[in-house]
Amino acid sequence: MAISTRAILMATIVICSFLAVCDGEILFSTLKKALEVKAEHKAGVLMAGEDILTFKWSLNTTLSAGADSGYKSVKLQLCYAPISQKDRAWRKTEDHLKKDKTCQFKIVTVPYKSSNNNYTWTIKRDIPTATYFVRAYLLNANGQEIGYGQNTDDKKVDNLFSIQAISGRHVTLDICSIVFSAFSVVALFAFFYMEKRKAKAGK
């Protein structure tokens, strides 16, 4: 009876493992840190829709020769730093990459090269205000993540950068608004003045 129970248990584990693989479940904790990544930008807060970031990456020099034979492409993503994830479940970090909400903004996907990689990106207008880092995922021929690199440390506290979202206001619109408001007030006083003159003329 014990053997039968053990056999059932082992079969269950094998089936669950098989289903997980078929479903493409990938854990971030299983990925090798195979890339060195840097992000260059101006000092201070960056403005969405205006400022640029330049990313540079290369293969980790500690890897053995031929370790990158399965790497086909690199996917760069903009990721929330922990300080901008606090109390925001919609930005929560999960080990399962399909459930992970850390890196919600795709920057670019390019063919893999072991060195001399760089990409300049103008921050998109819809990027929200937050503190970020950039992560590069190494993909295999099936488009699955098999390695990564990021411009920050494992605790995600170094080399972070802040982005300020577009407020929706524009200097030109503000000026027009002020001008039209002033015109409305002047027109209102002119209307009352004309009405009073007509009333006096009628008497």
Side-chain angles (χ1 to χ4, degrees):
M1 184 69 179
I3 295 175
S4 177
T5 303
R6 183 178 178 184
I8 292 172
L9 180 61
M10 290 299 294
T12 302
I13 293 172
V14 170
I15 291 171
C16 289
S17 299
F18 178 75
L19 289 174
V21 171
C22 290
D23 189 45
E25 184 177 281
I26 300 171
L27 304 181
F28 180 77
S29 57
T30 65
L31 300 182
K32 183 181 295 184
K33 193 171 184 180
L35 289 177
E36 297 290 340
V37 181
K38 294 181 180 180
E40 299 177 353
H41 52 83
K42 74 172 190 179
V45 177
L46 305 176
M47 299 301 296
E50 297 179 13
D51 290 320
I52 63 172
L53 286 149
T54 298
F55 308 112
K56 297 181 179 181
W57 65 95
S58 60
L59 187 66
N60 193 326
T61 55
T62 62
L63 297 181
S64 58
D68 60 345
S69 59
Y71 304 158
K72 299 302 179 184
S73 57
V74 176
K75 177 175 64 175
L76 292 178
Q77 289 190 282
L78 187 66
C79 311
Y80 289 112
I83 192 172
S84 291
Q85 292 177 290
K86 188 177 180 181
D87 300 324
R88 295 175 174 90
W90 60 92
R91 299 177 180 177
K92 187 178 179 181
T93 295
E94 294 280 356
D95 196 28
H96 295 167
L97 289 185
K98 281 191 174 181
K99 299 177 181 178
D100 183 40
K101 297 179 177 64
T102 308
C103 304
Q104 298 185 20
F105 307 100
K106 180 181 175 181
I107 297 171
V108 71
T109 299
V110 296
Y112 169 77
K113 292 192 303 179
S114 61
S115 60
N116 299 321
N117 298 283
N118 66 82
Y119 183 78
T120 298
W121 181 64
T122 300
I123 301 170
K124 292 188 176 180
R125 297 172 62 86
D126 60 350
I127 299 298
T129 298
T131 301
Y132 296 92
F133 65 96
V134 65
R135 179 178 290 163
Y137 283 109
L138 286 160
L139 310 180
N140 61 16
N142 296 320
Q144 295 176 319
E145 295 88 349
I146 54 176
Y148 82 101
Q150 56 192 32
N151 76 307
T152 187
D153 61 310
D154 291 338
K155 293 184 178 180
K156 296 177 282 189
V157 294
D158 294 333
N159 301 318
L160 304 176
F161 49 89
S162 297
I163 295 176
Q164 176 66 50
I166 293 175
S167 65
R169 296 177 65 94
H170 195 279
V171 175
T172 304
L173 292 178
D174 288 342
I175 293 173
C176 290
S177 177
I178 293 170
V179 170
F180 279 116
S181 296
F183 176 77
S184 298
V185 173
V186 171
L188 184 62
F189 278 112
F191 174 78
F192 281 120
Y193 177 74
M194 294 298 292
E195 287 296 314
K196 284 185 178 181
R197 285 195 63 180
K198 287 180 180 179
K200 286 182 180 180
K203 292 179 180 179

Coordinates of all heavy atoms in Angstrom, one line a residue, residues 26 31 35 37 55 57 71-79 97-98 100 103-113 119 134-140 142-150:
I26 N 7.9 30.4 -16.1 CA 9.3 30.7 -15.9 C 9.4 31.5 -14.6 O 8.7 32.5 -14.4 CB 9.9 31.4 -17.1 CG1 9.7 30.6 -18.3 CG2 11.3 31.8 -16.8 CD1 10.1 31.4 -19.6
L31 N 16.6 32.3 -13.4 CA 17.3 32.9 -14.5 C 18.8 33.3 -14.1 O 19.0 33.8 -13.0 CB 16.6 34.2 -15.0 CG 15.2 34.0 -15.5 CD1 14.7 35.4 -16.0 CD2 15.1 33.0 -16.6
L35 N 24.0 39.3 -18.1 CA 24.3 40.5 -18.8 C 24.7 41.6 -17.8 O 24.2 41.7 -16.7 CB 23.1 41.0 -19.6 CG 22.6 40.3 -20.8 CD1 21.4 40.9 -21.4 CD2 23.7 40.3 -21.9
V37 N 24.5 45.6 -17.5 CA 23.6 46.7 -18.1 C 23.9 48.0 -17.5 O 24.0 48.1 -16.2 CB 22.1 46.3 -17.9 CG1 21.2 47.4 -18.6 CG2 21.8 44.9 -18.5
F55 N 20.9 53.1 -23.2 CA 21.2 51.8 -22.5 C 22.4 51.1 -23.2 O 22.5 51.1 -24.4 CB 20.0 50.9 -22.6 CG 18.8 51.5 -22.1 CD1 17.7 51.9 -22.9 CD2 18.6 51.9 -20.7 CE1 16.6 52.5 -22.4 CE2 17.5 52.5 -20.2 CZ 16.5 52.8 -21.1
W57 N 24.7 47.4 -22.9 CA 24.8 46.1 -22.3 C 25.8 45.2 -23.0 O 26.1 45.3 -24.2 CB 23.4 45.4 -22.2 CG 22.8 45.1 -23.5 CD1 22.8 43.9 -24.2 CD2 22.0 45.9 -24.4 NE1 22.1 43.9 -25.4 CE2 21.6 45.2 -25.5 CE3 21.6 47.3 -24.3 CZ2 20.9 45.7 -26.6 CZ3 20.9 47.8 -25.4 CH2 20.5 47.1 -26.5
Y71 N 21.3 32.1 -26.7 CA 20.7 33.5 -26.7 C 20.5 34.0 -28.1 O 21.4 34.0 -28.9 CB 21.7 34.5 -26.0 CG 22.1 34.1 -24.6 CD1 23.3 34.6 -24.0 CD2 21.3 33.2 -23.8 CE1 23.6 34.2 -22.7 CE2 21.7 32.8 -22.5 CZ 22.9 33.3 -22.0 OH 23.2 33.0 -20.7
K72 N 19.2 34.4 -28.3 CA 18.8 34.8 -29.7 C 18.5 36.3 -29.7 O 18.7 36.9 -30.8 CB 17.7 34.0 -30.2 CG 18.0 32.5 -30.3 CD 19.1 32.2 -31.2 CE 19.5 30.7 -31.3 NZ 20.7 30.5 -32.2
S73 N 17.9 36.8 -28.7 CA 17.5 38.2 -28.7 C 17.5 38.8 -27.3 O 17.6 38.0 -26.3 CB 16.1 38.4 -29.3 OG 15.2 37.7 -28.6
V74 N 17.5 40.1 -27.2 CA 17.5 40.8 -25.9 C 16.3 41.7 -25.8 O 16.0 42.5 -26.8 CB 18.8 41.6 -25.7 CG1 18.7 42.4 -24.4 CG2 20.0 40.7 -25.7
K75 N 15.5 41.7 -24.7 CA 14.3 42.5 -24.5 C 14.6 43.4 -23.4 O 14.8 43.0 -22.3 CB 13.1 41.6 -24.3 CG 11.8 42.4 -24.0 CD 10.7 41.4 -23.8 CE 10.8 40.5 -22.6 NZ 9.6 39.7 -22.4
L76 N 14.6 44.8 -23.7 CA 14.8 45.8 -22.7 C 13.4 46.2 -22.1 O 12.5 46.5 -22.9 CB 15.5 47.0 -23.2 CG 16.9 46.8 -23.6 CD1 17.5 48.1 -24.2 CD2 17.8 46.4 -22.5
Q77 N 13.3 46.3 -20.8 CA 12.1 46.8 -20.2 C 12.3 47.8 -19.1 O 13.3 47.7 -18.3 CB 11.3 45.6 -19.6 CG 10.7 44.7 -20.7 CD 9.8 43.6 -20.1 OE1 10.2 42.6 -19.6 NE2 8.5 43.9 -20.3
L78 N 11.4 48.7 -18.9 CA 11.5 49.7 -17.9 C 10.7 49.1 -16.7 O 9.6 48.7 -16.8 CB 10.8 51.0 -18.3 CG 10.9 52.2 -17.4 CD1 12.4 52.7 -17.3 CD2 10.1 53.4 -17.9
C79 N 11.4 49.2 -15.5 CA 10.8 48.5 -14.3 C 10.7 49.4 -13.1 O 11.5 50.3 -12.9 CB 11.7 47.3 -13.9 SG 12.2 46.2 -15.3
L97 N 7.2 34.9 -13.9 CA 7.3 36.1 -14.8 C 6.0 36.5 -15.4 O 5.7 37.6 -15.7 CB 8.3 35.8 -15.9 CG 9.8 35.8 -15.4 CD1 10.7 35.6 -16.6 CD2 10.1 37.1 -14.7
K98 N 5.1 35.5 -15.6 CA 3.8 35.8 -16.2 C 2.9 36.6 -15.3 O 2.0 37.4 -15.7 CB 3.0 34.5 -16.6 CG 3.5 33.9 -17.9 CD 2.6 32.8 -18.3 CE 2.9 32.3 -19.7 NZ 2.0 31.2 -20.2
D100 N 4.4 38.6 -12.8 CA 5.2 39.7 -12.3 C 4.8 41.0 -13.0 O 4.5 41.1 -14.2 CB 6.7 39.5 -12.7 CG 7.6 40.6 -12.1 OD1 7.3 41.0 -11.0 OD2 8.5 41.0 -12.8
C103 N 8.1 45.0 -14.3 CA 8.6 45.6 -15.6 C 7.4 45.6 -16.6 O 7.2 44.7 -17.4 CB 9.7 44.7 -16.1 SG 11.1 44.6 -15.0
Q104 N 6.7 46.7 -16.6 CA 5.4 46.8 -17.4 C 5.6 47.5 -18.7 O 4.7 47.5 -19.5 CB 4.4 47.5 -16.6 CG 3.9 46.8 -15.3 CD 2.8 47.4 -14.6 OE1 2.0 48.2 -15.2 NE2 2.6 47.2 -13.3
F105 N 6.8 48.1 -18.9 CA 7.0 48.9 -20.1 C 8.1 48.4 -21.0 O 9.2 48.4 -20.6 CB 7.3 50.4 -19.7 CG 6.3 50.9 -18.8 CD1 6.5 51.0 -17.4 CD2 5.0 51.4 -19.2 CE1 5.6 51.5 -16.5 CE2 4.1 51.9 -18.3 CZ 4.4 51.9 -17.0
K106 N 7.7 47.9 -22.2 CA 8.7 47.4 -23.1 C 9.4 48.5 -23.8 O 8.7 49.5 -24.3 CB 8.0 46.5 -24.1 CG 8.9 45.9 -25.2 CD 8.2 45.0 -26.2 CE 9.2 44.6 -27.3 NZ 8.5 43.8 -28.3
I107 N 10.7 48.5 -23.9 CA 11.4 49.5 -24.6 C 11.8 49.1 -26.0 O 11.4 49.7 -26.9 CB 12.7 49.8 -23.8 CG1 12.4 50.4 -22.4 CG2 13.6 50.8 -24.5 CD1 13.5 50.5 -21.4
V108 N 12.4 47.9 -26.1 CA 12.8 47.4 -27.4 C 13.3 45.9 -27.3 O 13.7 45.5 -26.2 CB 13.9 48.3 -28.1 CG1 15.2 48.0 -27.4 CG2 14.0 48.0 -29.6
T109 N 13.1 45.2 -28.4 CA 13.7 43.9 -28.5 C 14.6 43.9 -29.7 O 14.2 44.2 -30.8 CB 12.6 42.8 -28.7 OG1 11.8 42.8 -27.5 CG2 13.2 41.4 -28.8
V110 N 15.9 43.4 -29.5 CA 16.9 43.4 -30.6 C 17.6 42.1 -30.6 O 17.6 41.4 -29.6 CB 17.9 44.6 -30.4 CG1 17.2 45.9 -30.5 CG2 18.6 44.4 -29.0
P111 N 18.2 41.7 -31.8 CA 19.0 40.5 -31.9 C 20.1 40.5 -30.9 O 20.7 41.6 -30.6 CB 19.5 40.5 -33.3 CG 18.5 41.4 -34.0 CD 18.1 42.4 -33.1
Y112 N 20.5 39.4 -30.4 CA 21.6 39.2 -29.4 C 22.9 39.4 -30.0 O 23.3 38.9 -31.0 CB 21.5 37.9 -28.7 CG 22.7 37.6 -27.8 CD1 22.9 38.2 -26.6 CD2 23.8 36.8 -28.3 CE1 24.1 38.0 -25.9 CE2 24.9 36.6 -27.6 CZ 25.0 37.2 -26.3 OH 26.2 37.0 -25.6
K113 N 23.8 40.2 -29.3 CA 25.2 40.4 -29.6 C 25.9 40.3 -28.2 O 25.4 40.9 -27.2 CB 25.5 41.7 -30.3 CG 25.0 41.8 -31.7 CD 25.7 43.0 -32.4 CE 25.4 44.3 -31.7 NZ 26.1 45.5 -32.3
Y119 N 21.4 51.4 -27.1 CA 20.1 51.8 -27.6 C 19.7 53.1 -26.9 O 19.7 53.2 -25.7 CB 19.0 50.7 -27.4 CG 17.7 51.1 -28.0 CD1 17.5 50.9 -29.4 CD2 16.6 51.5 -27.2 CE1 16.3 51.2 -29.9 CE2 15.4 51.9 -27.8 CZ 15.2 51.7 -29.1 OH 14.0 52.0 -29.7
V134 N 16.2 49.7 -15.3 CA 16.0 49.0 -16.6 C 16.5 47.6 -16.5 O 17.6 47.3 -15.8 CB 16.7 49.7 -17.8 CG1 18.2 49.7 -17.7 CG2 16.2 49.1 -19.1
R135 N 15.8 46.6 -17.0 CA 16.2 45.2 -17.0 C 16.2 44.7 -18.4 O 15.3 45.0 -19.3 CB 15.2 44.4 -16.2 CG 15.6 42.9 -16.1 CD 14.6 42.2 -15.2 NE 14.8 42.5 -13.8 CZ 13.9 42.3 -12.9 NH1 12.7 41.7 -13.2 NH2 14.2 42.6 -11.6
A136 N 17.2 43.9 -18.8 CA 17.3 43.3 -20.1 C 17.1 41.8 -19.9 O 17.8 41.1 -19.1 CB 18.7 43.6 -20.7
Y137 N 16.2 41.2 -20.6 CA 16.0 39.8 -20.6 C 16.6 39.1 -21.9 O 16.4 39.6 -23.0 CB 14.5 39.4 -20.6 CG 13.8 39.6 -19.3 CD1 12.9 40.7 -19.1 CD2 14.1 38.7 -18.2 CE1 12.3 40.8 -17.8 CE2 13.4 38.9 -17.0 CZ 12.6 39.9 -16.8 OH 11.9 40.1 -15.6
L138 N 17.3 38.0 -21.6 CA 17.8 37.2 -22.8 C 16.8 36.2 -23.1 O 16.2 35.5 -22.3 CB 19.1 36.5 -22.3 CG 20.4 37.4 -22.2 CD1 21.4 36.7 -21.3 CD2 20.9 37.7 -23.6
L139 N 16.5 36.1 -24.4 CA 15.4 35.2 -24.9 C 16.1 34.2 -25.8 O 17.0 34.4 -26.5 CB 14.4 36.0 -25.7 CG 13.8 37.3 -25.1 CD1 12.8 37.9 -26.0 CD2 13.2 36.9 -23.8
N140 N 15.5 33.0 -25.8 CA 15.9 31.9 -26.6 C 15.1 31.9 -28.0 O 14.4 32.9 -28.2 CB 15.8 30.5 -26.0 CG 14.3 30.2 -25.6 OD1 13.4 30.8 -26.1 ND2 14.1 29.2 -24.7
N142 N 12.6 30.4 -28.9 CA 11.1 30.4 -28.7 C 10.6 31.6 -28.0 O 9.4 31.7 -27.7 CB 10.8 29.2 -27.8 CG 11.1 27.9 -28.5 OD1 10.9 27.7 -29.7 ND2 11.6 26.9 -27.7
G143 N 11.5 32.6 -27.8 CA 11.0 33.9 -27.1 C 10.9 33.8 -25.6 O 10.3 34.6 -25.0
Q144 N 11.4 32.7 -25.0 CA 11.4 32.5 -23.6 C 12.6 33.1 -22.9 O 13.7 33.1 -23.4 CB 11.3 31.0 -23.2 CG 10.0 30.4 -23.8 CD 10.0 28.9 -23.5 OE1 11.0 28.2 -23.6 NE2 8.9 28.3 -23.1
E145 N 12.3 33.7 -21.7 CA 13.4 34.3 -20.9 C 14.3 33.2 -20.3 O 13.8 32.3 -19.7 CB 12.8 35.2 -19.8 CG 12.0 36.4 -20.2 CD 10.6 36.1 -20.5 OE1 10.2 34.9 -20.5 OE2 9.8 37.0 -20.7
I146 N 15.6 33.3 -20.6 CA 16.5 32.3 -20.1 C 17.7 33.0 -19.4 O 18.6 32.3 -18.9 CB 17.1 31.4 -21.2 CG1 17.7 32.3 -22.4 CG2 16.0 30.5 -21.7 CD1 18.3 31.4 -23.5
G147 N 17.7 34.3 -19.3 CA 18.8 35.1 -18.6 C 18.4 36.5 -18.5 O 17.4 37.0 -19.1
Y148 N 19.1 37.3 -17.7 CA 18.8 38.7 -17.5 C 20.0 39.5 -17.1 O 21.1 39.0 -16.8 CB 17.7 38.9 -16.5 CG 18.1 38.8 -15.1 CD1 18.3 40.0 -14.3 CD2 18.5 37.6 -14.4 CE1 18.7 40.0 -13.0 CE2 18.9 37.6 -13.1 CZ 19.0 38.8 -12.4 OH 19.5 38.7 -11.1
G149 N 19.8 40.8 -17.0 CA 20.8 41.7 -16.5 C 20.0 43.0 -16.2 O 19.0 43.3 -16.8
Q150 N 20.5 43.8 -15.3 CA 19.8 45.1 -14.9 C 20.8 46.1 -14.5 O 21.9 45.7 -14.0 CB 18.7 44.8 -13.9 CG 19.2 44.2 -12.6 CD 18.1 43.7 -11.7 OE1 17.0 43.3 -12.2 NE2 18.3 43.8 -10.4

